[in-house]
Amino acid sequence: MFRLKCVILLCGLIFSCARKNSSATQNAGEIAVSDSKKGGDILLPTQMWHQTDKCVCVVFGYGYNDEAFTTEMKSMLFEKFGDVSDGGYILSYVFPDDFKRGSKTFITNLEWHLEGKNLCGIIFIGAPENTHTAIARMQDKNGGSLPYPVFSFFSQDDVLGMEDSADFVLDKAQKAAIDGIVVEEEQSFVGEVPEMLEKAVQYILWSDGPFEKNQQLIDFVRMIAGDFKIQHYFDPETNLPAINHFVIE
């Protein structure tokens, strides 16, 4: 509990300072080099990350796996945190393309992809069915729990399974139709995903292990969600709130 409170306070302070100083540091990501032929300077981007063998796995699933979107998201993440292939932090996969075995696709192949990697955490966006099974297999090999955070955004997997597998689950709001059937909102929040992903990766890199599933967890998720109103997810059958499952309203 103490560690989660410290991370929340640290993250809030750092992002608050970053916003206040944004105008003063808008050119901090560039360096000037001399161009003797043209007699002027050329601005080149500075590397914003250090060489490392650690990595954060980002898995793009249903609703967030089209080529244009994943290309844009990976470009943004690589710029800020580096691609694993270049010694950076981001290890990215797209479902179903990266999970094929013959003519079939299995999200459980994630375990093979991550074997031997020095993982800091995993982020799912649009996790497909049976994602929780893949996580459960890795948990079993680590004595019942993983030593790093697992975040899940807009999951398509089994609700209870994802709640058990992830540190937190953040979903779209749901509403009941006239016949009582629960209907998920169509909004995908694609425009807000980049900021959420950036914050999620940064918070994982700041953490030293998984986050506790307690009453303070919602404050942490609210920081990731930005200006959105975040509430606990209520089970439609029992009407009981889930400790680590939240919805954007």
Side-chain angles (χ1 to χ4, degrees), residues 63-79:
Y64 305 89
N65 58 357
D66 68 84
E67 185 175 358
F69 178 77
T70 57
T71 297
E72 180 182 354
M73 292 302 97
K74 286 191 283 186
S75 177
M76 180 271 292
L77 292 173
F78 292 165
E79 179 182 356

Side-chain angles (χ1 to χ4, degrees), residues 75-241:
S75 177
M76 180 271 292
L77 292 173
F78 292 165
E79 179 182 356
K80 296 178 181 298
F81 304 105
D83 184 356
V84 160
S85 63
D86 294 326
Y89 286 103
I90 303 301
L91 177 67
S92 60
Y93 297 105
V94 178
F95 184 90
D97 294 351
D98 294 327
F99 295 88
K100 294 185 182 298
R101 189 194 308 167
S103 60
K104 297 184 178 180
T105 304
F106 301 90
I107 185 61
T108 48
N109 288 348
L110 179 65
E111 181 182 359
W112 299 352
H113 286 307
L114 300 183
E115 187 173 357
K117 299 292 192 303
N118 188 3
L119 276 176
C120 296
I122 305 175
I123 300 171
F124 294 100
I125 177 165
E129 184 179 4
N130 290 323
T131 295
H132 70 281
T133 302
I135 298 299
R137 289 183 179 181
M138 291 189 287
Q139 289 174 331
D140 289 342
K141 289 187 175 182
N142 283 273
S145 62
L146 295 176
Y148 48 75
V150 176
F151 298 166
S152 179
F153 297 90
F154 314 126
S155 173
Q156 301 296 309
D157 195 15
D158 174 74
V159 172
L160 293 179
M162 201 74 253
E163 289 174 358
D164 184 61
S165 302
D167 293 42
F168 74 79
V169 182
L170 181 61
D171 274 333
K172 309 164 193 175
Q174 296 179 327
K175 61 182 179 181
I178 297 177
D179 56 6
I181 298 176
V182 175
V183 179
E184 188 178 88
E185 293 282 3
E186 295 183 359
Q187 189 173 2
S188 62
F189 302 104
V190 167
E192 291 75 23
V193 165
E195 182 178 356
M196 291 184 187
L197 276 180
E198 180 184 350
K199 288 182 178 180
V201 171
Q202 187 62 77
Y203 293 163
I204 283 178
L205 294 178
W206 283 336
S207 71
D208 58 1
F211 288 80
E212 295 179 15
K213 298 177 182 179
N214 56 27
Q215 295 299 326
Q216 284 73 46
L217 190 58
I218 190 171
D219 296 324
F220 175 66
V221 175
R222 282 170 175 158
M223 292 196 314
I224 290 180
D227 296 330
F228 287 109
K229 182 179 179 182
I230 303 297
Q231 299 292 342
H232 283 277
Y233 168 86
F234 284 81
D235 184 280
E237 296 183 1
T238 65
N239 202 36
L240 295 175

